[in-house]
Amino acid sequence: MFCNQCEQTSKGKGCTRLGICGKNEAVAIQQDKLVWQLRELAAVALMAREAGIVDTATDDFAFKALFSTLTNVNFDPVSLRAVQEECLERTTALAARVPGAPAPTPLAALDLRDTATDHLSGDEDVRSAMQILLYGLKGVAAYADHAAELGQRDPDVAAFLYRGLRAGTELDPESHDLNGWLGLVLECGKVNLRAMELLEAGNTGTFGTPVPTPVSLGRRKGKAILISGHDLPDLLALLEQTRDTGINVYTHGEMLPAHAYPLLHAFPHLAGHYGTAWQNQQKELPDFPGAVLFTTNCIQDPRGYADKVFTSGNVSWPGLTHCKGRDFSAVIQKALELPGFAEDVPGREVLTGFGRETLLGAAPAVLDAVAQGKLRHIFLVGGCDGARPGRNYYTELVEKIPADCLILTLACGKFRFFDKELGSLGGIPRLLDVGQCNDAYAAVRVALALADALKCGVNELPLSLVLSWYEQKAVSILLTLLALGVKNIRLGPTLPAFVSPNILKVLVEQWNIMPVTTPDEDLKAILG
Ligand code: SF4
Ligand code: SF3
């Protein structure tokens, strides 16, 4: 196997025997083969589009299938095999409708083929660009899948996914030089903005506009279910199915911002938030006295507490019960068997829900505070969390950011500091949780609106982005920021293994992207 797609990749180079994430060789190879099958599907789907055939069900499948190869999503060879079989069926069916379309490779032949790197260029920089593109596409696929689940689709997003997947294969009629590859990479960033926009429309259209909401970190006496991941429709279904059962539902990880959506918040048994970021689950989940449901990334090996863990959607772990069709009766049954919390335990509250509308509403006050010299600078400190010790940087940075600055945050990186008392500035809390990683869309739109109001470019704003990355959704968001021309991004805790020295040079020269150093040095550089 060879996998270098996430930040914790072995030795900063690539996992070759067993993934640091727990992905074994067989599963890694299977995921590579699935990506290869999707490249074949992409070639057929593009021919179909030329013939006027857009098959929405196939587009939806392509997003789901690619999402299942994202870090910490699907570790189960049996479920991945089912996805492979469906891919073959769908490609065959679509090819039958398109004159001259190539037949897909049968699974038996694919099993014999080394698909990990066989289409990758020997040129280090082209290979790097191809990997950046593939990993960015995985992020796009994740967001487009969530959006489609909420009925939001744009056929152009699927069309680009196909173009990106077909690129560089023997099925691609075009050839691309390094500039061509970099062009595709930036286009991926633009398409990701569209995917996040669709998801925002789906979320707000279904669950209402997020409002700043305090969330309890305490416990309520009684039976309990913990729900993790990004899938808000799963949470809604779980809340509906647990109504009047006496079971309290707690959010975990990226599900925290769900509390801010009026439709979800209205359920009285949405009780609070439990635990911190994904990499702490093996420490935090054994003590949870109820059932646990993973709806998307990031799941880790649940050894020792597997009997109470369930999966849904694209997530799978061998041996765990997978809930199909949003039927959570097995989760509920397990929660009823387990003791639940014996006592009410009051806890602190954290604030979430500073979505686009709230932030835009606060923009005049923010601009005023800037004009009066009361607000010196805005920091966006967000992204993925992870296990690397160097990630303490983000905690320390937030602690050291001076009191006359605001801090926007999003995604699971916030758990390094989400419960800190940072006070307020001109009536605005200093720490503003925008939401999940996909809510980077809101942050981008607010930054563009502020730049507009101040009649300057986004790079002239008193705004600095200090980002943490781990998996491929963060890659797609980074590409979005680059495509929008956002410069001076600080990225950590380490730079991606799949960026070649020459491509890094381009990123530095054109966007002044830089690795994080120390909180003191970076603050000095930013605040002058
Ligand atoms: Fe390694 Fe990350 Fe790939 Fe897992 S996803 S095998 S940790 S590079
Ligand atoms: Fe976290 Fe896995 Fe990336 Fe949506 S839950 S951000 S790492």
Side-chain angles (χ1 to χ4, degrees), residues 268-321:
H269 61 298
L270 180 59
H273 186 83
Y274 180 94
T276 55
W278 67 272
Q279 77 280 357
N280 299 323
Q281 65 191 262
Q282 290 163 332
K283 268 183 274 160
E284 294 173 348
L285 297 195
D287 289 340
F288 186 79
V292 180
L293 173 65
F294 277 89
T295 68
T296 63
N297 55 309
C298 284
I299 190 170
Q300 289 184 293
D301 187 348
R303 201 172 310 169
Y305 54 95
D307 58 328
K308 67 177 179 189
V309 182
F310 298 79
T311 57
S312 63
N314 302 315
V315 187
S316 261
W317 188 278
L320 297 190
T321 301

Side-chain angles (χ1 to χ4, degrees), residues 44 48 51-56 58 90-101:
V44 173
I53 303 167
V54 176
D55 189 283
T56 305
T58 298
R90 286 190 178 278
T91 311
T92 308
L94 192 57
R97 295 165 66 191
V98 186

Side-chain angles (χ1 to χ4, degrees), residues 145-365:
D145 174 51
H146 282 297
E149 285 286 325
L150 292 159
Q152 295 287 331
R153 297 175 175 89
D154 177 346
D156 290 349
V157 173
F160 181 77
L161 183 90
Y162 294 142
R163 264 182 62 214
L165 283 172
R166 188 186 62 178
T169 68
E170 63 226 42
L171 306 163
D172 189 0
E174 294 166 60
S175 69
H176 312 266
D177 57 9
L178 185 57
N179 272 335
W181 284 109
L182 290 175
L184 280 170
V185 161
L186 290 181
E187 206 175 332
C188 181
K190 272 191 212 141
V191 171
N192 187 55
L193 185 70
R194 177 70 181 133
M196 292 193 294
E197 180 183 28
L198 290 169
L199 180 50
E200 190 202 56
N203 281 337
T204 55
T206 310
F207 308 109
T209 301
V211 277
T213 305
V215 181
S216 167
L217 301 179
R219 327 263 171 258
R220 285 189 204 164
K221 183 178 171 182
K223 306 284 183 186
I225 293 176
L226 188 63
I227 178 169
S228 189
H230 302 70
D231 196 289
L232 300 183
D234 272 3
L235 174 58
L236 175 62
L238 181 66
L239 288 168
E240 281 167 347
Q241 291 168 38
T242 46
R243 211 196 301 254
D244 302 325
T245 58
I247 298 172
N248 290 312
V249 175
Y250 298 81
T251 54
H252 175 263
E254 277 281 70
M255 206 54 96
L256 169 67
H259 290 270
Y261 289 90
L263 184 77
L264 300 168
H265 183 69
F267 287 88
H269 61 298
L270 180 59
H273 186 83
Y274 180 94
T276 55
W278 67 272
Q279 77 280 357
N280 299 323
Q281 65 191 262
Q282 290 163 332
K283 268 183 274 160
E284 294 173 348
L285 297 195
D287 289 340
F288 186 79
V292 180
L293 173 65
F294 277 89
T295 68
T296 63
N297 55 309
C298 284
I299 190 170
Q300 289 184 293
D301 187 348
R303 201 172 310 169
Y305 54 95
D307 58 328
K308 67 177 179 189
V309 182
F310 298 79
T311 57
S312 63
N314 302 315
V315 187
S316 261
W317 188 278
L320 297 190
T321 301
H322 185 78
C323 303
K324 287 202 179 121
R326 301 209 159 95
D327 172 2
F328 298 123
S329 41
V331 187
I332 293 167
Q333 186 54 42
K334 179 53 77 177
L336 292 172
E337 285 163 26
L338 290 168
F341 289 107
E343 299 294 338
D344 280 340
V345 182
R348 292 217 21 236
E349 283 183 338
V350 293
L351 263 181
T352 187
F354 291 89
R356 182 151 65 101
E357 274 200 24
T358 302
L359 290 178
L360 287 177

Side-chain angles (χ1 to χ4, degrees), residues 230 254 278 297-298 384-385 411-412 437 470-471:
H230 302 70
E254 277 281 70
W278 67 272
N297 55 309
C298 284
C384 306
D385 207 349
C412 65
C437 48
Y470 170 67
E471 34 76 7

